[in-house]
Structures are given as structure tokens and as C-alpha cells.
Amino acid sequence: MNGVVPLDGLTSAQVAAASPNVVPRRSSRSLAAIVRANVCTLFNLVIGVLWALILIFGEWQDSVFGLIMVANVLIGVVQELRAKRTLDRLAVVGESPVTVRRDGAERRVPPHEVVLGDLIVLGPGDTLPVDGEVLAADGLEVDESLLTGESDPVRKEPGDPLLSGSFAVAGTGVFRATAVGTAAYAARLAEEASRFHLARSELRDGVARFIRYITWLVIPIGALLTYSQLSNAADFATAITGAVAGIVTMIPEGLVLTTSIAFAVGVVRLARHRCLVQELPAIEGLARVDVLCLDKTGTLTAGGMTLDHVLPLREDRPVGDALAALAAADGHPNATARAIADRFPAARWRPRATVPFSSARKWSGADFGPHGVWLLGAPDVLLDPSSPECARAAELAATGARVLALCHTSHLPQPARTDENRPSMSGADLRTDDGATPARLTTVARADESGPITTGGCFGEAVALVVLKQRVRPDARETLDYFARQGVSVKIISGDDPRSVSAIAAGLRVPGADRAVDARTLPEDEEALGEALDAATVFGRVTPRQKRLFVTALRGRGHTVAMTGDGVNDVLALKEADLGIAMGAGSPATKAVAQVVLLDNRFAVLPHVVHEGRRVLANIERVSGLFLTKTFYAIVLSLMTGVAGMMFPFTPRHSTLVNAVTIGLPALFLALAPTLERARPGFVPRVLRFAVPAGVMCAVAVLLAFAAADGTLTERRTAAVLALFLTTWWVLVLVARPLNRWRVTLVAAMFGLFALALATPYVRELFELDPGALGDDLLAAGIALVAAAFIGIAVRLAGTLRA
């Protein structure tokens, strides 16, 4: 072949025999894993066994508590399936077709139909679905920012490797697929990050810890209670019902349900802002975060460039016409050419010959005949390094802007051509703006880096300096100001030059923006790295590996870290963070591992996430006091009745009624109420300081009322239920503080509902209540009032009440 690589591609027979580009889609956990995770829990096991016992030996009215388990499972499964379906749809939409060359012809195929050895044709904007090696290139430049975080395009020549997850931004090319499917770079990285893990949740962990401890208590206490009920009950069914009443009441099953509902409502509210929460506890995460790591590219910046201003160096030259003509002459414009074309869209000159831009040459040019030859490129290449124009360009570049020099000259410099043995594009692949082949237009396809015009010098007359800036998201400043007011430390990290990152951060008024750190100078030791991260705010030249180390080091210093990103290079850092936040336009791997996805790529949505997280945290802590009060009075009651060998003072249906009007229904309203309280650590200790004394006093009041009553078992249990309601209703009043109009209405309504239940014959019969012994009921009310006073004193001394 005389050193020339054929570009006809595979034959149909070769395609049929080759390995396809099949990558398992991991948008989240599988359906089986979702169902298993929500069904197979310790909580469900305990409640399920007790539910079965009541259904077998008791009456159906005493089995209502089992429905809470079913509701909790359904909420968790439905919410995660909803997130999974949304991500699956996003993944399908993001699969752009690929142009391959087979049997000497080009065709468009889905990414999964690409096979090993395929020739893939690239143009500006094409994503690389597989790894490969460049066979031919015409000014081909690839954006690898999703892999490396470096926003500058990388020039690719024949023989250079290409990695999946990057995309072409300029020029054209052909490459051969050398790794497909799970062997490709992006797929391997996604595989490493695909081990699903739940967002860390102090609420979820605290509730799980409560249930775990209570489960271990249930075994001995349940055995003691069961023995005492069997010894005192007239029949086995009554004994089982009494034992289950004590055990079920010990388990804060409603707390799990209320927490799930509060999270689910938060997810729905955030969905209105186009924010997808993949896990229910994830909205808690950002409310606790004290360090937010922002990847500059794709988070603070919106992608692309914007022309900031043009600084004329000569007043007698048609700068606007020249810039418009140069931008229009580029058949495959990059971000810079598009920014210039946006400002100068009307091109009136036609080129006779062009030299396309390349990152190796750092300039482009065109011969416009009677209008002369114009060059546009890096000032340090086109200008005399000792000239004042070059010095001025350096000053502008120091602000983080991208500066280009516009020069006018008499001839178009001809870069050295590549070796003839390198693979070349066919004539059909090189076109002028009007579709003609290069016969009427001299186009230099490639330039060797060793050519004569890659060093500083003066090529004609310097006419103007063109200043471009990265496009900053319009909502970035307001959002960063919000986090500053909330006491959240922001770390801006990027693969770009520290000066460029510093300039963007300074424009956004980020504290410490003027002290950007080059990440290449940072230590490897985790402790020393953590100290350096705490001392600075802006970091440039950060590698993907360092991003992960940043998160690890910050977490090692006790910080709760959130990480935002959009590229494959951010995947491992997102997974390592306490909360990963991905942009909707980011890579599929990024969206798969993140707990929160901003579907519209709007950074300004994050404050809404914070608000929802804080609402859930503060309100769930509030209602946890209600549920755990129930748990502790049940533990005390079970112990005391078991030791004393007496009947349990109420049945499961009694606890269902009291819990509904003093805990379940009001907890739903309290959990969904708006609040501006900030998140505080120490959720478990604060709740225990409230719930333990309140629960003990409730149990004492119930036992005294039950023991003091003199009547039938139903009448004695009615007195105990009355004492239980009054003491737990007072706990509700304390938890609902500070009282306002709607909270006063809530607690009054709950009191009214219980009174209505006592006054309605059908309801009395359903819940087996008999308030006929007036003396016993009044005594129970008096005992409850004394207990309520002690509860108020105890919890106030513990310092857990809100003013």
C-alpha cells in the first residue's frame, strides 16, 4: 500500500463478525435491586412478622399497623423507579448517531452498532463513542474536557489515540475503533463508578440506628411481655394481641413512613424546578453541606466563548469586515470563530485561499484578494515579543481572557505539509464553503509542529487585539452569594490555567479569587492537602485524580462535601462526595452516579435544594420527638407489665387510634410545613433528650390510670387510653411550638377528633372503648394533667424545646 492506509472501512461480512459496542446502561439500580432494597429491611421483617401473628390469631381491627409498612415500601419503590425512568429517557435522548465508513460508503448508525475495527468519520460536534486511533485528520481538534477537565481543545494527528467521552470541536477526521463496549475508556470509568451507593443521610442513619437498637430490645422485652400475657390472659389470642400491642408500639414505624413522605414531597417540589433527585435522602445532603466543590467548566461557565471587546491598534483598517470574513471562511468553526461570527455576522469578502486554525500553529488566515491577507491567532506567535502590542496582549491575558491578534500582511504564510506517508483524507472530505473541492481553493489541511511559523515573530501589521471570555452562567453570581450568606465554603476547581480560573472567580466575587493555586504544586499527603484546601478557594490545573483526592481530603477534615460536575473526569469525585450533583447535559456516567441531576443545567436550582433539605431536616427532627416518645413509653410499659405480671393496658387498635390523632396525622402536617431553620448536627442526641423523659412520664401515667381503675378490662383499658391520649397530646403541643394560628388549629383539631371518637357509638365499638366509668376516666384525666406538667419541666431542663 506504499504506506497509505485505505479508508474504505469494513465490509458487511467483517461487521457481522466483529465485537459490537454494547455497554450496559446503568442509569441507577435495577428494578430488582430497587424492590429488594425497599422490601428487605429489618423494619419490614419485624412489622411483617407481628402483622402475620395478628392476622392469624387476632382480629383484623388490630392489624391496621401493617398498612404503614406497605405504604413505606410503595413510596420508596415508586420514587426511585420514577428517577430511573427519567434517567433512562435522558440516556436515550443523548445517544447521537455515529457516521461510519463501511464498504467504501458512509452511513449513520446508533452507537451500539459500532463494531471493533470500524472507521468512524468525525466532524465538529461529533461525540466519540469508542476508543480509537486517528487515521486521517484535517485540522482535527478534540475537546477532552469531559475526561481531563482541560477546556482547551487538543490537536490530533494521524497515529494519535482518541478516547471515548471526548468530542470533536474543529476540523474533520477518520479514526479506527480499537476498543468498544466495556473495554472503552469511558465505559471502564463508568464501571468503576457504577457500584451504587446511597447518599449519606443522618436522618436515615439515625432512624435505622433507633430501629436496630429497638429490635434488639424487642427480643428480650417481647419474650418477657409474651410470657406475662400468656400467664394472665384467658385465651391465647388475647395474649398474642397484648404482646403485639406492646411490641408494635415500641417500633417507630410511622417515623419511617413520615420521613419517606417528607422526602418524596421534597422531590416533587424540586422536580418543578427541573431538578431530579435520584434518592429520597439526597435532598437532606446539601442542607448539611459546609463545603461545595464546583467544577468550573460546565457549572460556572456555560460552554463556548463570548467576544468581550475588540481593541483597535490601527484606526484606518476595516477590522469588522476582516473579522467577519475570517470567521465565515472557516468551514468548521471552533468556539472562538463562532463567538466572532456572532458579533460580526455580515461577511462581505470571499477568500482565495485559507489556512485553518490549529492548536499547534495557534493561528488561522485567509487571502481575500484585493482586501489583502489577514491572520488571526495567538499574540505570542504573530506579534514581535518586544512590541508594545504584544505587551498589551499579555496584560489582557493576565486577567483570564483569551486574547487573539488580528494582523494584515501581503502574503499568506504556508506551513510545512505533513509527510506523504501519513494517511490523508480523500478529496471528497475537503470542501470549500460553496461545496467545491480544493482545486479552486488552496487549503492547508495540516501543519507540522516544526514548521517555520510556530515561534514568536511579526507577520505583517498588527491591526487589533480581540478579547474573548468564557461564557459565565448568568445565575452563577447570585447562587454563589447565596451560599456565602449560608456559611457554605465554595471551592472552585478546574483543569484550566489558574489565572483564567481566578479571573472568572473574581468576576463572580468569590472570596480568595485573587489567590488561585496551581494544583500541580499541591502535596500528595492527605492531611497536608486538606490544610491547603482549607486555606484557598480557587484551584487550576486540577487533574481528575486530584478532584477525587480533594473530596477525600476535605471529608477527612470533618467537612460534609458536595461536588458538582458534568464530565467523565468528574465521576469518581462525585461518587466520593457526600452528595454528587450532575448537570443534565453532562455525560451519562456522571448522571448515573450523582444523587441530584440539574436537568436544565441551571446552577441557580441549588438554593431550592438547600431549602427543601432544611425543611425536611428541621421538620423530621420535630416529629421524631413524637414517634420516639411513643417508642419509649412502649418500652417502659412492656418492661413494667412484664415484670409485674399484669395485662397490657391497651390493644393494637387502641394504640392505632391514639397514635393517629397525636402522632400520625399531625406529624404529616408538621413534616411538610415551611421552615427556615438551618441544619444542625446532633440529630439523635437532641431527639433522645426530648423523647426519653416524655416517654417515661407517659408510661407512668398510663400504668397509674390502668391500675387505679376499678371495672371491667375494657373500662380499665379505656381509662388507660384516655391518660395516654392526654399525655401524648401535650407532647404534640410542645413539639408544635412555636405555636401560630395553623398549629393551634392543628392541635385543637386532633383533640376534637379524639373527643368525636369517644362520642360516636360505632367508633367506640370499633376501637373497643367504654367510657362508662366516669370516676375512672376523671381520675385518669387528673393523672395525665400531672404527668403533662412533669413532661414540660423535664424537656425544658433538657434544653430541647424551641421558644
Side-chain angles (χ1 to χ4, degrees):
M1 291 188 297
N2 299 324
V4 177
V5 178
L7 298 179
D8 291 335
L10 301 178
T11 64
S12 299
Q14 290 173 322
V15 169
S19 300
N21 182 43
V22 177
V23 181
R25 182 176 296 148
R26 290 181 173 84
S27 56
S28 65
R29 289 188 286 188
S30 66
L31 174 60
I34 291 173
V35 173
R36 186 168 57 249
N38 284 277
V39 173
C40 301
T41 65
L42 182 61
F43 162 78
N44 289 342
L45 175 63
V46 174
I47 294 295
V49 170
L50 297 176
W51 194 19
L53 288 174
I54 288 295
L55 291 175
I56 295 172
F57 298 106
E59 299 181 20
W60 69 268
Q61 295 95 328
D62 291 316
S63 66
V64 178
F65 66 87
L67 299 179
I68 296 177
M69 175 189 69
V70 176
N72 185 59
V73 170
L74 289 177
I75 289 174
V77 170
V78 169
Q79 170 54 32
E80 195 164 342
L81 283 177
R82 172 181 166 274
K84 176 182 174 63
R85 285 197 302 270
T86 302
L87 278 182
D88 284 343
R89 287 196 298 267
L90 287 174
V92 172
V93 169
E95 290 182 349
S96 302
V98 181
T99 301
V100 298
R101 187 174 290 165
R102 295 174 180 171
D103 296 316
E106 294 181 4
R107 65 185 67 179
R108 304 273 280 175
V109 299
H112 65 271
E113 291 186 11
V114 175
V115 300
L116 187 66
D118 250 332
L119 296 190
I120 300 172
V121 180
L122 290 178
D126 288 345
T127 300
L128 279 68
V130 296
D131 297 349
E133 178 184 352
V134 178
L135 298 182
D138 172 18
L140 179 64
E141 294 188 2
V142 174
D143 187 324
E144 297 180 340
S145 61
L146 292 180
L147 302 173
T148 66
E150 170 64 62
S151 63
D152 291 330
V154 179
R155 178 171 174 84
K156 295 295 183 178
E157 295 287 356
D160 289 343
L162 293 173
L163 296 177
S164 54
S166 53
F167 60 94
V169 294
T172 57
V174 175
F175 77 96
R176 186 188 304 278
T178 58
V180 300
T182 55
Y185 176 79
R188 284 187 282 115
L189 188 58
E191 175 69 27
E192 181 178 351
S194 65
R195 300 178 184 86
F196 191 90
H197 75 294
L198 289 172
R200 181 182 176 274
S201 166
E202 187 176 343
L203 278 181
R204 184 190 60 207
D205 294 345
V207 172
R209 199 179 312 143
F210 286 140
I211 293 178
R212 185 167 61 250
Y213 294 158
I214 290 166
T215 301
W216 287 111
L217 288 174
V218 161
I219 297 174
I221 295 175
L224 176 63
L225 182 61
T226 302
Y227 173 76
S228 69
Q229 299 307 294
L230 289 172
S231 301
N232 288 275
D235 58 83
F236 184 77
T238 302
I240 290 297
T241 300
V244 170
I247 297 173
V248 166
T249 310
M250 278 189 279
I251 300 172
E253 75 280 2
L255 178 57
V256 179
L257 176 61
T258 303
T259 302
S260 296
I261 292 175
F263 279 142
V265 171
V267 168
V268 171
R269 288 174 174 173
L270 289 174
R272 296 170 185 163
H273 298 283
R274 299 285 294 159
C275 176
L276 173 66
V277 179
Q278 299 200 65
E279 305 168 35
L280 289 179
I283 62 173
E284 173 194 350
L286 197 52
R288 297 190 185 278
V289 162
D290 61 348
V291 175
L292 177 61
C293 294
L294 299 176
D295 179 54
K296 178 188 71 67
T297 305
T299 303
L300 296 180
T301 58
M305 307 288 292
T306 180
L307 198 155
D308 187 59
H309 66 278
V310 176
L311 180 63
L313 302 176
R314 302 289 185 271
E315 297 295 338
D316 57 342
R317 294 296 186 182
V319 173
D321 287 339
L323 290 174
L326 284 170
D330 193 337
H332 303 291
N334 56 18
T336 300
R338 288 193 295 269
I340 295 174
D342 288 342
R343 179 69 66 87
F344 301 100
R348 298 187 296 172
W349 303 347
R350 297 288 294 173
R352 291 182 176 178
T354 65
V355 176
F357 178 83
S358 106
S359 57
R361 283 192 304 272
K362 298 185 178 180
W363 64 271
S364 63
D367 182 352
F368 296 105
H371 304 289
V373 174
W374 293 82
L375 306 178
L376 182 67
D380 59 329
V381 172
L382 297 181
L383 303 181
D384 185 344
S386 62
S387 67
E389 292 87 355
C390 193
R392 178 60 177 147
E395 293 175 5
L396 293 170
T399 66
R402 179 167 295 178
V403 182
L404 300 176
L406 177 66
C407 296
H408 181 262
T409 185
S410 58
H411 68 282
L412 185 62
Q414 295 298 306
R417 293 184 180 272
T418 47
D419 193 313
E420 64 179 3
N421 288 331
R422 285 184 174 177
S424 61
M425 301 288 289
S426 65
D429 294 312
L430 298 178
R431 301 289 184 189
T432 67
D433 292 339
D434 60 1
T437 62
R440 292 188 290 108
L441 177 65
T442 304
T443 302
V444 181
R446 292 176 300 274
D448 188 84
E449 286 81 347
S450 61
I453 56 173
T454 56
T455 59
C458 181
F459 295 93
E461 176 188 39
V463 174
L465 296 178
V466 181
V467 183
L468 301 104
K469 291 186 177 179
Q470 294 190 58
R471 190 173 292 126
V472 177
R473 293 186 183 276
D475 51 22
R477 175 179 292 183
E478 181 181 352
T479 307
L480 290 175
D481 289 344
Y482 168 83
F483 283 113
R485 293 193 301 270
Q486 300 302 317
V488 178
S489 176
V490 174
K491 307 293 180 184
I492 298 178
I493 57 181
S494 173
D496 287 349
D497 187 286
R499 292 177 299 177
S500 175
V501 186
S502 176
I504 291 176
L508 295 171
R509 298 190 301 226
V510 175
D514 57 331
R515 300 187 301 276
V517 176
D518 190 327
R520 293 172 295 187
T521 66
L522 292 174
E524 291 284 337
D525 178 69
E526 183 176 311
E527 184 175 349
L529 177 60
E531 293 177 359
L533 293 171
D534 273 340
T537 302
V538 180
F539 302 87
R541 297 302 182 201
V542 182
T543 65
R545 175 177 170 274
Q546 281 181 308
K547 289 183 181 182
R548 186 179 188 178
L549 293 177
F550 278 21
V551 173
T552 303
L554 288 168
R555 293 185 65 191
R557 292 179 67 82
H559 294 295
T560 303
V561 182
M563 173 77 189
T564 70
D566 64 343
V568 176
N569 64 305
D570 300 320
V571 166
L572 298 181
L574 289 172
K575 186 176 175 64
E576 189 69 27
D578 294 288
L579 183 69
I581 304 168
M583 295 294 172
S587 69
T590 305
K591 290 179 286 191
V593 302
Q595 289 85 29
V596 176
V597 181
L598 308 182
L599 299 179
D600 285 342
N601 309 302
R602 291 180 58 238
F603 184 44
V605 172
L606 290 184
H608 295 288
V609 182
V610 174
H611 290 155
E612 283 303 317
R614 288 182 174 176
R615 181 189 60 78
V616 170
L617 279 177
N619 290 336
I620 293 302
E621 180 175 327
R622 186 187 298 272
V623 301
S624 294
L626 289 174
F627 287 105
L628 293 180
T629 295
K630 174 178 76 79
T631 293
F632 284 107
Y633 78 60
I635 290 175
V636 174
L637 284 175
S638 299
L639 280 172
M640 296 182 72
T641 55
V643 172
M646 58 188 293
M647 288 298 298
F648 200 77
F650 51 80
T651 64
R653 72 183 73 180
H654 293 144
S655 64
T656 298
L657 173 62
V658 174
N659 293 341
V661 296
T662 62
I663 300 175
L665 289 176
L668 283 177
F669 289 98
L670 292 174
L672 303 179
T675 180
L676 297 177
E677 296 179 40
R678 297 186 62 174
R680 297 177 296 163
F683 159 71
V684 173
R686 280 196 304 277
V687 172
L688 290 179
R689 287 198 301 270
F690 179 94
V692 171
V696 170
M697 294 308 303
C698 289
V700 171
V702 170
L703 285 174
L704 288 177
F706 184 70
D710 186 16
T712 65
L713 178 60
T714 300
E715 292 174 339
R716 295 174 63 198
R717 280 179 166 171
T718 300
V721 169
L722 180 61
L724 178 63
F725 167 75
L726 291 174
T727 51
T728 53
W729 180 82
W730 181 246
V731 172
L732 170 62
V733 173
L734 297 178
V735 166
R737 295 176 62 185
L739 295 174
N740 52 26
R741 180 176 299 177
W742 78 265
R743 286 177 177 168
V744 170
T745 303
L746 175 67
V747 296
M750 296 303 104
F751 192 95
L753 283 177
F754 184 78
L756 182 63
L758 286 179
T760 306
Y762 171 76
V763 178
R764 287 203 307 267
E765 181 181 352
L766 177 66
F767 287 101
E768 203 174 5
L769 295 172
D770 184 4
L774 183 60
D776 291 344
D777 295 341
L778 291 176
L779 180 60
I783 294 173
L785 290 175
V786 175
F790 277 104
I791 290 173
I793 295 171
V795 295
R796 186 173 294 278
L797 291 176
T800 59
L801 283 183
R802 297 173 176 85

